[in-house]
Amino acid sequence: MIMPDYGPQITNNALLDRLYKQKTWLTTRIQYGILDLFGRLPAALNIDRIFAQISRKLVGGYLYSIKLEVNTACTLRCKMCYISNASRELPLHVIKKILDRIRSYNIRLEILGGEPLQRNDIIEIITYAKHRSKIPFVSLYTNGLFADRKMARNLNDAGLDAAIVTLISHKAEIHDAFAGQVGSWARTVENIGLLSQAGVPVYTFTAIHRENYRDYKEIYAFVKHSLKTNALFYQYVPQKQNDPLMISPEAWHEIKHWILLEKNKVHTAFISKFYMLTGNACSGGNFVFTIKADGSVQPCPFISDLSLGNIYERDIWDIVKNRFSHQHLIKFKEVPLECQACSHKSVCGGGCRAGNNLLFGDYAHKDHRCLGPYNRKIERETLVDCIPSFF
């Protein structure tokens, strides 16, 4: 059976990249309208397939979001932490320079650590991003331990759009043991309430691994009914060979199905259209870029060995525009050989491959969670069941 092909993955510059900044300014303003239009195109006539092929060649990738690792310091010692033990901090003047360069381009900002709230100037950073650089959406990933009443009020006053708080379990003993600090669960839960009371939209963030995967439904219920906020789940990224925190692909498939198709249909519709239009379940290196605390620009927060340049030496626009001058990024974004026979390769691209260098020695393997290759028609309604990971 010949399956519809939505086009090759984005592994080189598009036609509009000659005017990269102008393209980004325009595209970030109409991107959701484009996705909505794409979602309404009739698949039966292959119009959506043609639209995707043209879009990948004409528009390609663009700077949708920057993940900014402002420090590496943290008081916790979580078993799954991917941050180096070296204590680094991106200087404030460097952060402001980056924000100045993307001012008014409608590019989102995701603030990462370490623990960002351990910075004394974190409120200044958020305020500068929102009010000086006109960033439309600023989110902050935190363990929540430093989000006391005063900090919560300051974050809200600064204009923070979302606090994404790590929650390992609905059970204090599991959370504390995993985080390496007794009492951390109680403080995190208390401070989630303080953030909500201050007016900051809160999302819990739970990576699914060996020590909590049986409890995902209970975690969801706890967040919704006890914390009265929103639960986000994510696939665990392996940190070493034979990582004991990994779960089986079959177990992850069942959990992913429940999270996406039973509990989060709005986001599922969004990412399904994104996969079909852009051709990759991994947005790193095409739409999302991570600036590490050492200044290196990487495709993903979980990756530190695919540097596209350093912010101390080159402008962010120059790094992003010329990213495909790096052969290692091209290979990272190419469809793995294992996926060539899969009917979904043109909308998946191999899934999430963060951690593959530790599992297999390189990134040229498919997502280890994948149950494929598949030989079935691409259906929007069930697409995410075949894609092994999501964002």
Side-chain angles (χ1 to χ4, degrees), residues 90 94 98 285 289-300 303-329:
L90 205 59
V94 174
I98 295 168
F289 297 82
T290 299
I291 301 176
K292 296 280 190 171
D294 63 2
S296 67
V297 178
Q298 306 280 344
C300 167
I303 290 174
S304 58
D305 58 353
L306 293 181
S307 179
L308 308 176
N310 196 291
I311 208 69
Y312 286 107
E313 302 166 358
R314 294 168 59 194
D315 180 74
I316 183 62
W317 290 108
D318 178 60
I319 292 173
V320 173
K321 182 177 180 180
N322 294 292
R323 65 196 182 279
F324 290 120
S325 64
H326 298 270
Q327 191 63 31
H328 57 255
L329 179 65

Side-chain angles (χ1 to χ4, degrees), residues 186-214:
R187 283 178 59 193
T188 294
V189 168
E190 178 184 4
N191 289 349
I192 286 174
L194 294 177
L195 285 165
S196 295
Q197 291 171 24
V200 178
V202 181
Y203 300 80
T204 60
F205 191 71
T206 303
I208 298 294
H209 46 69
R210 178 67 60 181
E211 298 193 15
N212 65 5
Y213 80 103
R214 292 185 178 89

Side-chain angles (χ1 to χ4, degrees), residues 2 11 31 80 86 91 115 129 133 139 174 177 192 208 224 264 289 303 311 328 337 342 345 351 369 374:
I2 299 177
T11 57
Q31 56 194 350
M80 62 169 282
E115 174 45 57
S133 298
S139 57
I174 294 178
I192 286 174
I208 298 294
K224 181 177 180 180
N264 206 338
F289 297 82
I303 290 174
I311 208 69
H328 57 255
L337 289 176
C342 183
K345 68 177 181 179
R369 308 167 195 84
Y374 294 98

Side-chain angles (χ1 to χ4, degrees), residues 373-385:
Y374 294 98
N375 184 27
R376 66 177 77 162
K377 184 179 179 181
I378 297 172
E379 300 282 357
R380 296 180 186 181
E381 295 76 16
T382 58
L383 174 68
V384 294
D385 259 343

Side-chain angles (χ1 to χ4, degrees), residues 26-131:
L26 176 61
T27 307
T28 55
R29 283 161 172 77
I30 63 174
Q31 56 194 350
Y32 297 115
I34 292 174
L35 269 181
D36 182 61
L37 171 63
F38 176 72
R40 289 186 280 111
L41 294 176
L45 300 177
N46 284 331
I47 296 176
D48 63 336
R49 175 178 58 84
I50 297 170
F51 187 97
Q53 292 175 349
I54 293 174
S55 176
R56 295 181 196 183
K57 185 175 182 178
L58 179 64
V59 180
Y62 57 91
L63 190 50
Y64 168 77
S65 178
I66 288 178
K67 295 180 181 288
L68 190 65
E69 185 184 274
V70 296
N71 66 353
T72 60
C74 184
T75 57
L76 297 181
R77 292 294 178 264
C78 297
K79 295 180 182 180
M80 62 169 282
C81 186
Y82 59 91
I83 300 294
S84 166
N85 289 329
S87 183
R88 293 192 179 96
E89 187 170 283
L90 205 59
L92 179 61
H93 75 275
V94 174
I95 293 173
K96 287 185 175 181
K97 183 178 179 181
I98 295 168
L99 295 176
D100 286 342
R101 296 297 292 139
I102 63 172
R103 181 184 180 187
S104 299
Y105 277 90
N106 215 43
I107 296 165
R108 297 163 69 103
L109 179 68
E110 303 172 65
I111 300 175
L112 314 176
E115 174 45 57
L117 295 185
Q118 287 186 226
R119 286 190 64 130
N120 294 327
D121 56 3
I122 190 62
I123 300 300
E124 184 177 356
I125 292 171
I126 296 169
T127 301
Y128 195 92
K130 289 297 297 183
H131 302 289

